[in-house]
Every structure is written in structure tokens, then in C-alpha cells.
Short mmCIF file of all heavy atoms in Angstrom, two decimals:
data_model
loop_
_atom_site.label_atom_id
_atom_site.label_comp_id
_atom_site.label_asym_id
_atom_site.label_seq_id
_atom_site.Cartn_x
_atom_site.Cartn_y
_atom_site.Cartn_z
N VAL L 1 118.42 103.34 98.54
CA VAL L 1 119.11 102.88 99.74
C VAL L 1 118.92 101.37 99.85
O VAL L 1 117.82 100.89 100.09
CB VAL L 1 118.57 103.59 100.99
CG1 VAL L 1 119.27 103.06 102.24
CG2 VAL L 1 118.76 105.09 100.86
N GLY L 2 120.01 100.64 99.68
CA GLY L 2 119.95 99.18 99.66
C GLY L 2 120.57 98.67 98.39
O GLY L 2 120.01 98.85 97.30
N ALA L 3 121.74 98.03 98.51
CA ALA L 3 122.45 97.56 97.33
C ALA L 3 122.20 96.09 97.04
O ALA L 3 122.85 95.49 96.19
CB ALA L 3 123.95 97.80 97.49
N GLY L 4 121.24 95.50 97.76
CA GLY L 4 120.92 94.09 97.54
C GLY L 4 120.01 93.89 96.35
O GLY L 4 119.78 94.80 95.54
N ARG L 5 119.47 92.68 96.25
CA ARG L 5 118.62 92.34 95.10
C ARG L 5 117.37 93.22 95.06
O ARG L 5 116.97 93.70 93.99
CB ARG L 5 118.22 90.86 95.19
CG ARG L 5 117.39 90.37 94.00
CD ARG L 5 117.17 88.87 94.06
NE ARG L 5 116.39 88.42 92.93
CZ ARG L 5 115.04 88.40 92.91
NH1 ARG L 5 114.36 88.82 93.97
NH2 ARG L 5 114.39 87.98 91.83
N ALA L 6 116.76 93.46 96.21
CA ALA L 6 115.54 94.27 96.24
C ALA L 6 115.82 95.70 95.78
O ALA L 6 115.04 96.28 95.03
CB ALA L 6 114.95 94.28 97.65
N GLY L 7 116.95 96.26 96.23
CA GLY L 7 117.30 97.61 95.83
C GLY L 7 117.55 97.71 94.35
O GLY L 7 117.13 98.67 93.69
N ARG L 8 118.24 96.71 93.80
CA ARG L 8 118.52 96.73 92.37
C ARG L 8 117.25 96.57 91.54
O ARG L 8 117.09 97.20 90.50
CB ARG L 8 119.52 95.62 92.03
CG ARG L 8 120.92 95.88 92.59
CD ARG L 8 121.87 94.73 92.27
NE ARG L 8 123.20 94.98 92.79
CZ ARG L 8 124.14 95.69 92.18
NH1 ARG L 8 123.87 96.22 90.99
NH2 ARG L 8 125.32 95.88 92.72
N LEU L 9 116.34 95.73 92.00
CA LEU L 9 115.08 95.55 91.27
C LEU L 9 114.27 96.84 91.27
O LEU L 9 113.64 97.19 90.27
CB LEU L 9 114.27 94.41 91.91
CG LEU L 9 114.81 92.99 91.69
CD1 LEU L 9 113.96 91.98 92.45
CD2 LEU L 9 114.82 92.64 90.20
N LEU L 10 114.28 97.55 92.41
CA LEU L 10 113.56 98.82 92.49
C LEU L 10 114.18 99.84 91.54
O LEU L 10 113.47 100.55 90.82
CB LEU L 10 113.58 99.35 93.92
CG LEU L 10 112.94 100.73 94.13
CD1 LEU L 10 111.47 100.71 93.71
CD2 LEU L 10 113.07 101.17 95.58
N ALA L 11 115.51 99.90 91.53
CA ALA L 11 116.20 100.84 90.64
C ALA L 11 115.89 100.54 89.18
O ALA L 11 115.66 101.44 88.37
CB ALA L 11 117.71 100.78 90.89
N GLU L 12 115.88 99.25 88.82
CA GLU L 12 115.58 98.86 87.44
C GLU L 12 114.14 99.18 87.07
O GLU L 12 113.85 99.58 85.95
CB GLU L 12 115.86 97.37 87.26
CG GLU L 12 117.35 97.00 87.33
CD GLU L 12 117.56 95.50 87.32
OE1 GLU L 12 116.55 94.76 87.24
OE2 GLU L 12 118.73 95.06 87.37
N ALA L 13 113.23 99.00 88.03
CA ALA L 13 111.81 99.28 87.76
C ALA L 13 111.58 100.76 87.51
O ALA L 13 110.83 101.15 86.61
CB ALA L 13 110.95 98.81 88.94
N ILE L 14 112.23 101.61 88.30
CA ILE L 14 112.07 103.05 88.13
C ILE L 14 112.68 103.53 86.82
O ILE L 14 112.16 104.42 86.15
CB ILE L 14 112.69 103.80 89.32
CG1 ILE L 14 111.94 103.42 90.62
CG2 ILE L 14 112.63 105.31 89.11
CD1 ILE L 14 112.54 104.02 91.85
N ALA L 15 113.82 102.91 86.46
CA ALA L 15 114.53 103.32 85.24
C ALA L 15 113.97 102.68 83.98
O ALA L 15 114.40 103.02 82.88
CB ALA L 15 116.02 102.97 85.38
N GLN L 16 113.04 101.77 84.13
CA GLN L 16 112.50 101.05 82.97
C GLN L 16 111.90 102.01 81.96
O GLN L 16 111.22 102.97 82.30
CB GLN L 16 111.42 100.07 83.43
CG GLN L 16 110.81 99.23 82.31
CD GLN L 16 109.71 98.33 82.85
OE1 GLN L 16 109.39 98.37 84.01
NE2 GLN L 16 109.14 97.53 81.99
N LYS L 17 112.14 101.74 80.71
CA LYS L 17 111.60 102.58 79.64
C LYS L 17 110.12 102.29 79.45
O LYS L 17 109.56 101.33 79.96
CB LYS L 17 112.36 102.32 78.33
CG LYS L 17 113.84 102.64 78.42
CD LYS L 17 114.07 104.11 78.75
CE LYS L 17 115.54 104.44 78.79
NZ LYS L 17 115.79 105.85 79.14
N ARG L 18 109.49 103.12 78.64
CA ARG L 18 108.06 102.98 78.40
C ARG L 18 107.74 101.64 77.77
O ARG L 18 108.42 101.16 76.89
CB ARG L 18 107.56 104.10 77.47
CG ARG L 18 107.68 105.49 78.07
CD ARG L 18 107.00 106.50 77.15
NE ARG L 18 107.12 107.84 77.67
CZ ARG L 18 108.03 108.72 77.26
NH1 ARG L 18 108.89 108.36 76.33
NH2 ARG L 18 108.08 109.92 77.77
N THR L 19 106.64 101.05 78.21
CA THR L 19 106.15 99.82 77.62
C THR L 19 104.70 100.03 77.24
O THR L 19 104.11 101.08 77.49
CB THR L 19 106.26 98.65 78.62
OG1 THR L 19 105.47 98.96 79.78
CG2 THR L 19 107.70 98.44 79.04
N VAL L 20 104.11 99.02 76.66
CA VAL L 20 102.70 99.14 76.26
C VAL L 20 101.81 99.37 77.46
O VAL L 20 100.88 100.16 77.45
CB VAL L 20 102.27 97.86 75.50
CG1 VAL L 20 100.78 97.93 75.17
CG2 VAL L 20 103.08 97.70 74.22
N SER L 21 102.10 98.64 78.55
CA SER L 21 101.28 98.76 79.75
C SER L 21 101.64 99.98 80.58
O SER L 21 100.89 100.40 81.45
CB SER L 21 101.44 97.51 80.62
OG SER L 21 102.80 97.31 80.97
N GLY L 22 102.83 100.57 80.33
CA GLY L 22 103.24 101.75 81.07
C GLY L 22 104.03 101.40 82.31
O GLY L 22 103.85 100.35 82.91
N ASN L 23 104.92 102.27 82.69
CA ASN L 23 105.72 102.10 83.90
C ASN L 23 105.09 102.93 85.01
O ASN L 23 104.99 104.15 84.88
CB ASN L 23 107.16 102.57 83.62
CG ASN L 23 108.05 102.43 84.83
OD1 ASN L 23 107.62 101.99 85.90
ND2 ASN L 23 109.30 102.80 84.68
N PRO L 24 104.65 102.33 86.11
CA PRO L 24 103.98 103.09 87.17
C PRO L 24 104.87 104.14 87.82
O PRO L 24 104.37 105.05 88.47
CB PRO L 24 103.57 102.01 88.18
CG PRO L 24 104.49 100.87 87.91
CD PRO L 24 104.74 100.90 86.43
N TYR L 25 106.19 104.02 87.65
CA TYR L 25 107.10 105.01 88.23
C TYR L 25 107.43 106.13 87.25
O TYR L 25 108.04 107.12 87.62
CB TYR L 25 108.41 104.34 88.66
CG TYR L 25 108.23 103.30 89.72
CD1 TYR L 25 108.25 101.95 89.40
CD2 TYR L 25 108.03 103.65 91.05
CE1 TYR L 25 108.07 100.97 90.37
CE2 TYR L 25 107.85 102.69 92.04
CZ TYR L 25 107.88 101.36 91.69
OH TYR L 25 107.71 100.40 92.65
N GLU L 26 107.03 105.95 86.00
CA GLU L 26 107.34 106.94 84.97
C GLU L 26 106.57 108.23 85.23
O GLU L 26 105.42 108.21 85.65
CB GLU L 26 106.99 106.39 83.60
CG GLU L 26 107.46 107.26 82.46
CD GLU L 26 107.12 106.64 81.12
OE1 GLU L 26 106.39 105.65 81.09
OE2 GLU L 26 107.59 107.17 80.10
N GLY L 27 107.22 109.35 84.99
CA GLY L 27 106.55 110.63 85.16
C GLY L 27 106.67 111.20 86.55
O GLY L 27 106.18 112.29 86.82
N THR L 28 107.32 110.48 87.47
CA THR L 28 107.46 110.98 88.84
C THR L 28 108.58 112.00 88.95
O THR L 28 108.68 112.71 89.94
CB THR L 28 107.75 109.82 89.80
OG1 THR L 28 108.93 109.13 89.38
CG2 THR L 28 106.59 108.84 89.83
N GLY L 29 109.46 112.06 87.94
CA GLY L 29 110.52 113.05 87.94
C GLY L 29 111.81 112.59 88.57
O GLY L 29 112.72 113.41 88.77
N TYR L 30 111.92 111.31 88.87
CA TYR L 30 113.14 110.80 89.50
C TYR L 30 113.99 110.04 88.48
O TYR L 30 113.48 109.28 87.67
CB TYR L 30 112.81 109.86 90.66
CG TYR L 30 112.29 110.58 91.88
CD1 TYR L 30 110.93 110.60 92.17
CD2 TYR L 30 113.16 111.24 92.74
CE1 TYR L 30 110.45 111.27 93.28
CE2 TYR L 30 112.69 111.90 93.86
CZ TYR L 30 111.33 111.91 94.13
OH TYR L 30 110.87 112.58 95.24
N GLU L 31 115.30 110.27 88.55
CA GLU L 31 116.26 109.55 87.74
C GLU L 31 117.22 108.83 88.70
O GLU L 31 117.96 109.48 89.44
CB GLU L 31 117.04 110.52 86.85
CG GLU L 31 118.13 109.85 86.03
CD GLU L 31 119.00 110.85 85.31
OE1 GLU L 31 118.61 112.03 85.23
OE2 GLU L 31 120.08 110.46 84.85
N VAL L 32 117.17 107.53 88.71
CA VAL L 32 117.98 106.76 89.65
C VAL L 32 119.43 106.73 89.21
O VAL L 32 119.75 106.33 88.09
CB VAL L 32 117.44 105.33 89.80
CG1 VAL L 32 118.33 104.51 90.73
CG2 VAL L 32 116.03 105.36 90.34
N GLY L 33 120.34 107.16 90.12
CA GLY L 33 121.75 107.14 89.81
C GLY L 33 122.43 105.85 90.19
O GLY L 33 123.47 105.49 89.66
N GLY L 34 121.84 105.10 91.13
CA GLY L 34 122.42 103.82 91.54
C GLY L 34 121.93 103.41 92.90
O GLY L 34 120.98 103.98 93.45
N CYS L 35 122.57 102.39 93.48
CA CYS L 35 122.20 101.84 94.78
C CYS L 35 123.35 102.05 95.76
O CYS L 35 124.52 102.05 95.38
CB CYS L 35 121.89 100.35 94.68
SG CYS L 35 120.63 99.94 93.45
N ILE L 36 123.01 102.20 97.02
CA ILE L 36 124.03 102.37 98.04
C ILE L 36 123.61 101.60 99.28
O ILE L 36 122.42 101.54 99.61
CB ILE L 36 124.24 103.87 98.37
CG1 ILE L 36 125.43 104.06 99.32
CG2 ILE L 36 122.98 104.48 98.97
CD1 ILE L 36 125.81 105.51 99.50
N GLY L 37 124.57 100.96 99.94
CA GLY L 37 124.26 100.18 101.14
C GLY L 37 125.48 100.08 102.04
O GLY L 37 126.59 100.51 101.69
N ASP L 38 125.30 99.49 103.24
CA ASP L 38 126.40 99.40 104.19
C ASP L 38 127.00 98.00 104.26
O ASP L 38 127.90 97.74 105.06
CB ASP L 38 125.93 99.81 105.59
CG ASP L 38 124.74 98.98 106.07
OD1 ASP L 38 124.31 98.09 105.31
OD2 ASP L 38 124.25 99.22 107.18
N ASP L 39 126.49 97.10 103.41
CA ASP L 39 127.04 95.75 103.37
C ASP L 39 128.23 95.74 102.41
O ASP L 39 128.10 96.03 101.23
CB ASP L 39 125.97 94.75 102.91
CG ASP L 39 126.42 93.30 103.09
OD1 ASP L 39 127.64 93.06 103.10
OD2 ASP L 39 125.54 92.43 103.23
N VAL L 40 129.42 95.38 102.95
CA VAL L 40 130.62 95.41 102.13
C VAL L 40 130.51 94.52 100.90
O VAL L 40 131.01 94.81 99.83
CB VAL L 40 131.84 94.96 102.98
CG1 VAL L 40 133.11 94.93 102.13
CG2 VAL L 40 132.01 95.88 104.17
N LYS L 41 129.81 93.38 101.04
CA LYS L 41 129.68 92.44 99.93
C LYS L 41 128.78 92.98 98.83
O LYS L 41 128.74 92.44 97.73
CB LYS L 41 129.14 91.11 100.43
CG LYS L 41 130.08 90.41 101.44
CD LYS L 41 129.47 89.10 101.88
CE LYS L 41 130.41 88.38 102.86
NZ LYS L 41 129.82 87.09 103.33
#
């Protein structure tokens, strides 16, 4: 919820693939489909 920069960064962080240090959101079972907000822009 939130189509601004913060929302997109959160979506990218959750969807991030495995790295050496690990993704803290990985393994939670969520697959982000996208962002949604009420700002027309």
C-alpha cells in the first residue's frame, strides 16, 4: 500500500533475490505483486 518511492523500495526489498548477506524478508512466504495508492500521479 503506497505507490510512492517508499512503497517501491519496500516491494523491491521483499522481492530481492538471495545475496551473500541474505534478504531479511526472504522466507516469510510473501510474493509482492505490485504497489497501489490513491495518488493519481
Side-chain angles (χ1 to χ4, degrees):
V1 178
R5 183 173 180 273
R8 291 178 179 276
L9 288 176
L10 176 59
E12 291 173 0
I14 297 175
Q16 182 183 2
K17 299 299 182 181
R18 296 187 181 99
T19 60
V20 176
S21 58
N23 180 0
Y25 298 102
E26 188 178 8
T28 57
Y30 287 101
E31 177 188 347
V32 177
C35 305
I36 187 171
D38 57 0
D39 190 335
V40 178
K41 297 180 179 179

